[in-house]
Amino acid sequence: MSVKSIFKTLDTLDYFLKSDSTKGVSLKEICDRLGFKKSAAHHMLSSICDKGYLYQDLKSKKYFLGSKLKKFSEVIDLNAREFTNYAEPFLKKINDATGEAVHLASFEGTKLITLSMLESTHPVRVDHGFLNKDNAFHATASGKAMLAFMTEPSQKKILKGKLEKFTNRTIINNELLSIELKKINKNGFATDDEEFQPGVFCVGYPIFDEQKKPFASISCSSPKFKIINDKKYLEKIKSSVKFSAIEIGKYFKKTKKKGDKHAA
């Protein structure tokens, strides 16, 4: 199978995931939406069905997602739960020490995803505004903490599109962002100074796997006025987040698992 054929197969499966495939997808729809020739598409779909990733309803002739994809999702969910379950006590340590919102994140391909979170216990708190913003990697401490320690090809793959401007402090210039990421790499941690949400300051540390690759990140968000009024409070947040990041990273040594599942 050629590389081109592999991409066509993956584009087809991706279309099933993005569309309302619960009602089935016809051969004509796949050809029209993805620009495939009918004969080639029919052959490809038959091969995918033979492997169990799709199946064809004999009456309607439409295609549906197969049971083998469900097995993949079960394995992925299990691995993610194991890591998250290990990490959650350390999220609570930060939450107990600071009372602020804590966030565990990772990359899934080029998307920033949430693995776990704890709300602030203070009356004045920040919300988790980027839970549904998988493109906020350049504007959050969570995203930048991982990006700064990725290889250059991985960085370019994630940052190749237009960067969204969330506030007037968001860095959307690639050259300036590159300088910022180098600074983060040198310092060992990332900050988000109102770059995603006005009035919010966030500190994030990367979580490395056994191969020293950034698998995830942990961050703590606080109303900025607290940081301005009490510099020692920032140091307290930084030390708490750093400690938990290091401790969570020990998961990979204890389980002997590689942490590259979410790498770009």
Side-chain angles (χ1 to χ4, degrees):
M1 181 181 284
S2 67
V3 173
K4 190 175 181 180
S5 297
I6 293 171
F7 273 105
K8 282 186 175 182
T9 301
L10 294 175
D11 285 342
T12 301
L13 292 174
D14 197 41
Y15 179 75
F16 273 83
L17 294 173
K18 291 178 179 177
S19 65
D20 186 12
S21 59
T22 55
K23 297 178 181 179
V25 180
S26 67
L27 174 62
K28 184 178 184 303
E29 181 180 347
I30 290 171
C31 292
D32 290 345
R33 295 298 178 89
L34 300 180
F36 297 159
K37 292 182 178 179
K38 186 176 180 180
S39 58
H42 183 268
H43 177 73
M44 177 186 63
L45 289 167
S46 296
S47 298
I48 297 173
C49 287
D50 289 342
K51 294 294 184 181
Y53 296 106
L54 296 176
Y55 73 89
Q56 186 180 31
D57 180 71
L58 296 178
K59 186 177 181 180
S60 67
K61 301 298 182 182
K62 288 186 176 182
Y63 295 89
F64 297 81
L65 290 173
S67 59
K68 190 171 282 188
L69 284 175
K70 184 179 179 182
K71 292 179 180 178
F72 273 109
S73 68
E74 289 172 352
V75 172
I76 292 169
D77 287 344
L78 178 61
N79 288 334
R81 279 200 304 273
E82 286 180 1
F83 174 74
T84 303
N85 288 343
Y86 183 89
E88 282 179 342
F90 299 103
L91 271 70
K92 192 172 186 308
K93 281 184 179 292
I94 301 172
N95 190 249
D96 289 343
T98 66
E100 303 293 359
V102 187
H103 191 259
L104 182 70
S106 187
F107 273 99
E108 192 169 77
T110 59
K111 306 296 184 182
L112 184 65
I113 63 168
T114 296
L115 298 179
S116 186
M117 52 169 264
L118 290 175
E119 297 284 359
S120 171
T121 59
H122 295 305
V124 179
R125 65 184 71 182
V126 299
D127 63 49
H128 288 278
F130 78 91
L131 283 179
N132 297 315
K133 287 289 186 179
D134 57 16
N135 65 335
F137 34 75
H138 62 295
T140 58
S142 292
K144 291 191 291 181
M146 289 182 279
L147 277 170
F149 295 90
M150 288 182 180
T151 62
E152 190 174 336
S154 292
Q155 286 183 357
K156 287 182 177 180
K157 189 174 181 181
I158 292 170
L159 301 171
K160 67 179 180 180
K162 184 179 179 180
L163 301 177
E164 185 173 345
K165 191 175 183 66
F166 297 100
T167 73
N168 60 7
R169 296 179 67 92
T170 306
I171 302 173
I172 58 172
N173 178 282
N174 282 326
E175 289 185 13
L176 293 178
L177 184 58
S178 178
I179 294 171
E180 170 77 355
L181 294 178
K182 287 177 182 176
K183 177 183 172 184
I184 293 167
N185 185 282
K186 181 180 179 181
N187 293 337
F189 67 94
T191 59
D192 155 19
D193 187 0
E194 298 187 278
E195 294 160 52
F196 181 69
Q197 291 174 290
V200 178
F201 192 94
C202 186
V203 175
Y205 277 81
I207 298 168
F208 297 105
D209 65 13
E210 202 170 14
Q211 297 176 311
K212 303 300 180 183
K213 293 180 180 180
F215 173 75
S217 66
I218 187 167
S219 61
C220 181
S221 302
S222 169
K224 188 176 177 180
F225 74 85
K226 291 186 180 180
I227 304 297
I228 295 173
N229 294 338
D230 186 356
K231 297 300 181 183
K232 289 183 179 179
Y233 190 56
L234 174 58
E235 293 305 314
K236 182 179 182 179
I237 290 175
K238 283 168 59 179
S239 62
S240 296
V241 178
K242 182 179 181 180
F243 172 81
S244 288
I246 293 170
E247 291 301 310
I248 295 171
K250 293 178 182 178
Y251 165 83
F252 300 103
K253 292 181 180 179
K254 291 181 178 181
T255 61
K256 301 299 182 184
K257 290 187 178 181
K258 293 180 179 180
D260 53 5
K261 296 179 184 64
H262 297 289

